Amino acid sequence: MGELVIPSEENIEALRYQGEFRNGLQDGDGVCKYPNGDLYTGRWKEGMRSGKGTLVLMSLAEEDGSGRGSEASGSSHSKQPRTYVGDWQENVRHGVGKYEDVGWVYEGEWKADKREGKGVLTLKSGRKFDGDWGNDRLNGLIKVCQTGFYITER
């Protein structure tokens, strides 16, 4: 176990990694907080995210409009981070995982950081799109589920 701190150019925030090392690189289990607020917890191999892990993207957080903000800050909205939980290979989503965004969730297969293979996209409304994905898009026949009924669309 060890810690790696890399200051940013502005020297205000730093990349901070705590975890296992091998040959001077992150390797094994570790936690990395990035200067932009993003947080990765999971497996590393030769300095890259690889294996099972969770990435919370605070840098892409959006107002969720719920009105559940911090009273101390006077904010009436809370920030909703985007989150990926699943498999990684050489710093990109690769394998099976779940990505949660504001208004939708995708659960399924990933390849080279894109939705690729079997997957289901669920909208906040509950409508689901189930099908084969390629290059981050639905392909071919798509099953659409709304209020419990499946409809096949093209």
Side-chain angles (χ1 to χ4, degrees), residues 85-147:
V85 178
D87 298 325
W88 293 86
Q89 183 177 328
E90 297 181 358
N91 271 346
V92 297
R93 296 170 289 195
H94 194 91
V96 177
K98 178 179 180 180
Y99 182 81
E100 294 185 56
D101 203 327
V102 177
W104 59 272
V105 174
Y106 171 81
E107 289 186 80
E109 297 174 357
W110 295 83
K111 184 177 180 183
D113 220 28
K114 294 184 179 184
R115 293 170 285 193
E116 185 87 30
K118 300 283 184 192
V120 178
L121 179 75
T122 305
L123 303 180
K124 190 175 182 178
S125 67
R127 191 170 190 183
K128 294 183 181 188
F129 298 87
D130 183 346
D132 290 319
W133 292 76
N135 200 30
D136 245 5
R137 294 177 183 249
L138 274 167
N139 294 319
L141 291 176
I142 303 163
K143 275 193 198 175
V144 179
C145 179
Q146 189 166 356
T147 62

Side-chain angles (χ1 to χ4, degrees), residues 6 10 19 32 35 48 50 62-63 71 86-87 107 120 130-131 143 145 153:
I6 302 173
E10 297 83 28
C32 187
M48 292 186 276
S50 211
E62 294 181 6
E63 299 289 340
E71 291 179 24
D87 298 325
E107 289 186 80
V120 178
D130 183 346
K143 275 193 198 175
C145 179
E153 293 185 359

Side-chain angles (χ1 to χ4, degrees), residues 6 14 16 18 20 22 26-27 42 50 56 61 72 75-76 83 97 112 127 141 146-147 154:
I6 302 173
R16 184 175 299 272
Q18 290 182 311
E20 297 175 296
R22 184 175 181 190
Q26 301 99 316
D27 204 299
S50 211
V56 178
S75 171
S76 62
T83 306
R127 191 170 190 183
L141 291 176
Q146 189 166 356
T147 62
R154 205 173 219 315

Side-chain angles (χ1 to χ4, degrees), residues 36 57 64:
N36 63 6
L57 297 162
D64 71 359

